[in-house]
Amino acid sequence: MSVAQVFEKLEKNFNPDAAQGLDLVFQFNIEDDKNYHLIIKDGTCNLVEGEHNDPSVTLIMNSETLEGIVSGETDGMQAFMAGQLRAEGDMMLATKLGELFTLR
């Protein structure tokens, strides 16, 4: 699965009820592929290729880690503890991804 396909799957598994009243930007810096960001605003999710100039949190990983997390094979917290995932900015927001998206 390509990184673009992984993000498309993530976007399809978005839970708009969990995003009511939120205004967040999740930047994904993929070390071996293109970067993307997700704009979560008032129950909507917009996937954009490239960098956002002021993300709420930036998640840095390789494409294999991304695919594992989105498929549910890899636990995001375990990946973080193992150094496969790094976060910059409001790291607590990274934990919201499990609420905003059905990861499996």
Side-chain angles (χ1 to χ4, degrees):
M1 191 180 299
S2 74
V3 167
Q5 290 170 316
V6 171
F7 279 108
E8 286 167 13
K9 178 181 178 185
L10 193 62
E11 194 176 27
K12 283 181 190 145
N13 293 323
F14 176 64
N15 177 359
D17 293 336
Q20 291 302 323
L22 295 180
D23 187 1
L24 305 170
V25 176
F26 292 92
Q27 174 71 50
F28 293 85
N29 288 355
I30 309 303
E31 296 166 323
D32 54 347
D33 208 308
K34 295 177 182 166
N35 295 336
Y36 289 85
H37 59 276
L38 290 167
I39 301 169
I40 310 295
K41 188 166 179 136
D42 294 327
T44 65
C45 172
N46 187 16
L47 174 65
V48 182
E49 186 178 318
E51 304 265 336
H52 188 273
N53 61 358
D54 189 24
S56 309
V57 63
T58 300
L59 302 170
I60 305 155
M61 68 197 90
N62 65 23
S63 57
E64 184 181 344
T65 302
L66 172 71
E67 189 172 345
I69 291 171
V70 172
S71 70
E73 292 172 27
T74 304
D75 178 72
M77 190 54 75
Q78 288 177 336
F80 181 77
M81 296 301 211
Q84 298 168 316
L85 167 65
R86 297 189 316 278
E88 295 175 356
D90 188 342
M91 300 205 302
M92 292 311 294
L93 289 178
T95 62
K96 279 204 168 296
L97 284 173
E99 298 167 30
L100 293 169
F101 301 93
T102 306
L103 303 177
R104 55 178 138 74

